[in-house]
Amino acid sequence: VSLEIRAERLRNRLEELEADSVILSAPANVRYITGFSGEGWAIVDSQTTLITDSRYELRAKDESPDAELIVRTGSMKGPVAEYLASCGAERVGFEADHLTVSQRDEMAEELGEIELVPLKSLLRVPRMTKDGEELAILRRAIAVTDEAFARVAEWLEPGINEKELALEIERQVLLAGGDKLSFDTIAASGPNAAHPHAEPSDRKLRGGDVVKLDFGACVDGYHADMTRTLLLGDPTDKQREVYGIVLEAQTRAIEACCAGMGGKELDGVAREVVKAAGYGDSFGHGLGHGVGLEVHEGPAVSQTSEDTLEAGMTVTIEPGIYLEGWGGVRIEDIVLVTEDGCEVLTGAPKLHFD
Ligand code: ZN
Ligand code: ZN
């Protein structure tokens, strides 16, 4: 039912887009409109047409029973042009932020008289607000992530290295019900945690380390994304201080987050806390991002965001402080924006000091 509504909404925009039809090529957009998770394009006009190849034929029938299916044997452009010509299309929209220049040029040549209209961020806004079906799936992905974290946190100890730690996280995500990882797992210890996006190394965990874990389970195409920072052993004063500031920044942002607030404004709430504590220069990235069929999608929650939060949006809140040579702390939850606040969907525990 959700799929029909999503496709119908896009159909209703064709007039305003001044196009007879639109070609969807970005995998997340194809999936959003058709439910199809394999490789292929979709054309939306008065109906929805899915063009894939034999590798995904059965999957397409299964996932998108309502779409007209074209199983191509040669290149994509041939059947696309043939279909568009058969329905007398004159102006056809395409995803300007996804198709490569060569793909566009080759398509234009194949289409002859049919005009290609570049469309930017075609489904960015509709996808920002999640429907009930999407929320249910995202909640499952987050629950899997929480469960994997609980198992890993119990298991990890000094002596194992970051790659082993990342592997264990990935193993537990799959065992807990994840289809795959949402992105390359970050497992950074000690000074390596100073890199916001560290890659797991051979470094062995030692007592006294900060250990930063950023990972997520992908379930039915929806991406969980969570960061937890652990301490191996009794916290030092510095670790208490930095962790406490990051947690305070995150807590304030979660308390402030609600529909109607600007993404920039929400970023500012957390950034103020970090700045006031004297670590403003050590929080270089944005506070958060929308999350769903892509790990990073709209709305932006950053200093440059022009988005306004609305009920039904799912965003991360992930302040961090990174100090070269010392390490870093980031704490990241996914929240669901509601009319008068937000619901924290991530359930994994955080550290609390007295
Ligand atoms: Zn993350
Ligand atoms: Zn994130």
Side-chain angles (χ1 to χ4, degrees):
V1 179
S2 296
L3 290 176
E4 282 168 34
I5 295 172
R6 293 177 207 163
E8 197 53 35
R9 282 197 188 127
L10 180 53
R11 265 187 257 293
N12 291 338
R13 288 171 58 202
L14 289 174
E15 203 172 325
E16 144 211 348
L17 296 169
E18 294 178 0
D20 303 315
S21 53
V22 291
I23 300 170
L24 300 178
S25 57
N29 286 344
V30 170
R31 189 163 193 170
Y32 182 72
I33 295 296
T34 69
F36 175 59
S37 67
E39 285 174 36
W41 289 8
I43 299 175
V44 177
D45 44 30
S46 58
Q47 62 172 27
T48 302
T49 306
L50 194 55
I51 304 159
T52 184
D53 59 78
S54 65
R55 292 173 299 165
Y56 301 103
E57 186 177 355
L58 295 180
R59 199 196 296 192
K61 284 178 180 164
D62 188 37
E63 293 176 336
S64 314
D66 297 329
E68 288 297 314
L69 185 62
I70 297 176
V71 180
R72 66 180 174 91
T73 45
S75 72
M76 184 64 84
K77 60 188 177 184
V80 169
E82 209 171 293
Y83 171 80
L84 291 171
S86 77
C87 27
E90 289 173 2
R91 285 171 57 85
V92 177
F94 72 98
E95 295 192 76
D97 32 27
H98 181 259
L99 227 55
T100 65
V101 174
S102 342
Q103 282 175 313
R104 194 216 78 97
D105 289 349
E106 285 172 23
M107 186 59 74
E109 199 171 315
E110 193 80 17
L111 287 176
E113 295 292 291
I114 304 174
E115 195 186 340
L116 274 175
V117 185
L119 303 173
K120 282 186 191 166
S121 306
L122 182 61
L123 292 170
R124 181 178 189 271
V125 171
R127 276 178 43 199
M128 289 201 282
T129 308
K130 271 60 182 178
D131 60 39
E133 216 158 290
E134 295 184 285
L135 280 177
I137 302 172
L138 192 57
R139 281 179 195 273
R140 277 198 283 134
I142 292 169
V144 166
T145 306
D146 286 341
E147 187 177 333
F149 174 76
R151 296 194 182 168
V152 169
E154 194 172 286
W155 167 87
L156 73 82
E157 58 184 19
I160 60 164
N161 74 33
E162 292 172 356
K163 286 180 185 170
E164 290 169 317
L165 179 50
L167 263 178
E168 184 61 15
I169 288 172
E170 300 182 355
R171 201 173 80 90
Q172 293 297 351
V173 163
L174 297 188
L175 288 174
D179 297 330
K180 58 180 182 179
L181 277 296
S182 288
F183 51 89
D184 288 344
T185 297
I186 296 173
S189 63
N192 291 349
H195 301 269
H197 273 195
E199 287 189 4
S201 76
D202 295 327
R203 184 184 184 279
K204 286 182 176 166
L205 272 50
R206 295 177 211 154
D209 276 353
V210 288
V211 181
K212 191 181 69 199
L213 308 175
D214 187 354
F215 68 98
C218 183
V219 172
D220 288 347
Y222 286 78
H223 299 78
D225 180 9
M226 174 182 83
T227 308
R228 285 294 180 267
T229 303
L230 302 171
L231 300 176
L232 289 185
D234 292 333
T236 64
D237 289 346
K238 183 84 172 175
Q239 287 172 344
R240 268 175 200 270
E241 182 203 357
V242 173
Y243 193 97
I245 295 162
V246 174
L247 184 60
E248 172 74 7
Q250 201 213 23
T251 306
R252 290 284 179 81
I254 289 170
E255 284 167 1
C257 177
C258 65
M261 193 169 200
K264 183 177 175 174
E265 210 184 325
L266 182 56
D267 177 279
V269 172
R271 201 165 297 281
E272 262 321 300
V273 175
V274 177
K275 259 189 201 163
Y279 289 98
D281 294 340
S282 308
F283 176 20
H285 55 74
L287 180 63
H289 51 85
V291 62
L293 280 171
E294 286 174 292
V295 189
H296 296 109
E297 57 183 40
V301 183
S302 67
Q303 289 172 287
T304 54
S305 173
E306 292 176 2
D307 298 316
T308 300
L309 299 178
E310 285 174 31
M313 291 182 175
T314 46
V315 298
T316 67
I317 296 188
E318 49 176 311
I321 292 178
Y322 312 92
L323 304 172
E324 193 177 349
W326 179 82
V329 172
R330 178 167 66 249
I331 309 172
E332 173 181 29
D333 289 330
I334 294 178
V335 306
L336 168 64
V337 181
T338 60
E339 287 301 342
D340 51 1
C342 73
E343 180 192 348
V344 180
L345 302 183
T346 304
K350 302 165 196 175
L351 302 179
H352 290 278
F353 308 120
D354 300 325

